[in-house]
Amino acid sequence: MSIDVGTGEDVPQFGLLVRQHRLRIGLTQRELADFSTVSVRAIRDLEQGRARRPRQDTVRLIADGLRLGLRARADLETAANQGRTSWAVKAAYEADPPAPPFALDVLVGRETETSTLTGELASGAERLVTVTGVDGVGRTRLALEVATRLHTAERTPVLWCAADAAPAGGDRLAALVRACVHQLLNAGDATDDIAAFVDTVADRPPLLVVDGVTGPVVRADRVAALLRDCPGLRILVTAAQPLHLPGERTFLLTPLAVPEDDDPLTIGQSPAVRVFVERARRVRPDFTPAPADSGLVADICRRVDGLPLALQAAASWLVVYDVPTLHQCLHADPANLLHHLAGADGDIRLRDALDHRLAALPTADRDLLADLCRRGDRFGLADVTALTGSSLPDSGRAVRDLVLRGLVQPSYEAGQSRFRILHLVRATQLESAARPAAGVPAHVGA
């Protein structure tokens, strides 16, 4: 049997009214729960002020369970609406489902990844997806494509929020979304904005996109509660690494496929080459690789690992270089390779992001990667156990962490697992090791 607990001064008017009506007709919390089909816990939380924003169907069910007349029911509904998000915001949200930001370019070479994620989120098979991968691989662009397809096909509301956005400013719905995300990602006691978010969207659950999570603090309990309190809500996160949340589906976004050989008939079909040529035509509209240069273009794409942002940086140099000169520059040495990551416009965000990514690794992972980079770019698990003296399971866990961060790519050769360190990661590590000790560079998101 439920035990009534006295209420304090901080209990909202709705909770006080529910308790007064319940006691007036002699019901316990358990009996009211049975009559209304609202859980005992929910009734207790409302009466004690721990829950402050009851949903509309909860208000209706409690009013039915209390057998309230028209006036008492109206008073209860008025009390429930006090302190809630504006009904105008909720009405506008439901009448005109928000759309994701507009994409400025066409996504190339990601049809499989886009279809997979769109299908999983559309069906509800996955409700919490984290897209991870090395900086510059296109996590944000993939999330944007998935969100656009869901919105276009099903009119799914899309609420897009940068993880580092301030929780204030902008229109009221955008401000509410940012405040909710802020409470999901930060350690603090307040959860009112999460409750207000549920209030607003629960009747038409959206796709919530949280773009660019880098910090270590993610409140697993709050994410779980949000998914529980808002059935149908789906959350798509882009992050530097898995968040390790219950129910999380980690989706590792790997670089674009590069040509496996120098066959002119297949080089042009490679997604990495298609992106390189498309980006090159932004600086040289007449650019078409000569047949003699096709192998060099393929090798350039391999050298920058098929990373979209690195392909863009390399292609931007064609305003100055011809293809053979660009190929020569990218193969000269690691320092030159990283210099050209800045692109012809001097934008160094990818280089800085890789520097930051390596500096932020746990010490053991960073030391292992440094040792592997000095030995070459390819290795197997046996090499790791010999290098570290660790057991096979411990070596596997260490390599798995590097793979899920996108720094190392797995392959399967002759029935054995093999691994390759990305050229750009190895170049960054070797150059960093050669530099004098310095502070960690400021992170610039990719």
Side-chain angles (χ1 to χ4, degrees):
M1 179 174 177
S2 179
I3 299 175
D4 290 339
V5 178
T7 58
E9 295 182 358
D10 194 37
V11 177
Q13 182 66 20
F14 178 82
L16 294 174
L17 282 177
V18 170
R19 185 170 187 271
Q20 289 171 6
H21 286 304
R22 177 177 62 78
L23 295 178
R24 176 178 54 81
I25 59 177
L27 293 180
T28 65
Q29 290 175 340
R30 167 62 66 186
E31 289 168 338
L32 177 57
D34 291 339
F35 286 134
S36 65
T37 71
V38 175
S39 71
V40 175
R41 178 179 177 178
I43 292 171
R44 182 173 63 247
D45 287 349
L46 287 167
E47 290 190 2
Q48 295 179 3
R50 287 197 292 267
R52 294 172 172 268
R53 294 180 173 88
R55 293 178 56 185
Q56 284 179 288
D57 56 348
T58 301
V59 176
R60 175 180 56 78
L61 290 171
I62 289 177
D64 290 345
L66 292 170
R67 303 292 192 269
L68 296 182
L70 292 179
R71 181 166 182 174
R73 182 183 292 265
D75 289 343
L76 194 69
E77 291 174 350
T78 299
N81 293 336
Q82 291 178 356
R84 295 173 67 107
T85 304
S86 168
W87 283 105
V89 174
K90 181 179 177 69
Y93 164 82
E94 293 180 348
D96 186 17
F102 181 74
L104 298 177
D105 60 350
V106 176
L107 186 62
V108 175
R110 296 295 193 193
E111 182 56 38
T112 299
E113 295 93 333
T114 303
S115 297
T116 298
L117 281 184
T118 302
E120 290 177 351
L121 289 167
S123 67
E126 301 292 347
R127 295 186 60 202
L128 174 60
V129 177
T130 301
V131 179
T132 67
V134 71
D135 303 275
V137 77
R139 301 184 303 257
T140 298
R141 185 63 185 86
L142 176 64
L144 181 57
E145 189 71 15
V146 170
T148 299
R149 290 194 183 188
L150 286 172
H151 181 76
T152 301
E154 303 178 4
R155 295 289 288 166
T156 300
V158 175
L159 300 174
W160 187 285
C161 182
D164 59 357
D171 65 67
R172 295 182 65 182
L173 178 60
L176 174 61
V177 173
R178 286 195 295 270
C180 172
V181 169
H182 181 77
Q183 291 184 350
L184 292 174
L185 298 180
N186 293 276
D189 293 333
T191 58
D192 283 358
D193 292 317
I194 297 176
F197 177 87
V198 173
D199 247 358
T200 303
V201 308
D203 293 331
R204 187 165 188 177
L207 173 69
L208 172 63
V209 183
V210 185
D211 183 37
V213 174
T214 58
V217 178
V218 178
R219 292 296 301 267
D221 56 334
R222 293 180 183 176
V223 173
L226 176 59
L227 290 170
R228 181 196 67 219
D229 294 342
C230 194
L233 171 69
R234 290 148 290 175
I235 303 177
L236 178 59
V237 180
T238 69
Q241 62 194 64
L243 304 180
H244 304 296
L245 298 174
E248 176 187 18
R249 190 269 208 253
T250 299
F251 189 94
L252 175 61
L253 185 61
T254 57
L256 292 169
V258 298
E260 296 182 0
D261 52 44
D262 291 341
D263 182 354
L265 296 178
T266 59
I267 286 176
Q269 300 173 10
S270 160
V273 170
R274 288 164 56 199
V275 169
F276 178 82
V277 171
E278 187 270 334
R279 294 295 182 176
R281 286 174 177 163
R282 294 188 178 188
V283 296
R284 281 177 49 185
D286 62 340
F287 177 76
T288 300
D293 290 341
S294 62
L296 298 180
V297 169
D299 206 34
I300 288 169
C301 293
R302 296 187 201 106
R303 185 64 175 164
V304 297
D305 301 301
L307 288 176
L309 195 58
L311 291 167
Q312 176 181 334
S316 72
W317 283 99
L318 291 178
V319 73
V320 179
Y321 301 149
D322 51 37
V323 170
T325 303
L326 175 59
H327 180 267
Q328 178 184 351
C329 289
L330 293 181
H331 279 69
D333 58 57
N336 262 346
L337 176 62
L338 293 175
H339 172 74
H340 286 81
L341 282 184
D345 57 1
D347 184 352
I348 62 173
R349 58 190 172 131
L350 178 53
R351 182 174 177 176
D352 275 356
L354 289 172
D355 252 332
H356 180 88
R357 174 70 71 103
L358 296 181
L361 283 173
T363 301
D365 290 353
R366 186 168 64 247
D367 291 345
L368 172 61
L369 185 63
D371 289 341
L372 291 170
C373 285
R374 283 192 290 269
R375 293 165 58 94
D377 63 351
R378 296 179 185 275
F379 64 93
L381 286 177
D383 299 312
V384 177
T385 58
L387 187 63
T388 63
S390 301
S391 66
L392 183 59
D394 287 341
S395 298
R397 278 189 287 270
V399 173
R400 181 178 181 272
D401 192 39
L402 296 176
V403 168
L404 291 180
R405 292 172 185 267
L407 304 173
V408 169
Q409 279 192 292
S411 64
Y412 308 95
E413 303 169 7
Q416 290 187 326
S417 297
R418 299 288 297 174
F419 305 92
R420 181 181 72 83
I421 304 169
L422 298 188
H423 293 302
L424 300 184
V425 170
R426 185 166 184 261
T428 303
Q429 172 59 46
L430 293 175
E431 193 206 33
S432 175
R435 288 199 308 259
V440 177
H443 172 65
V444 183

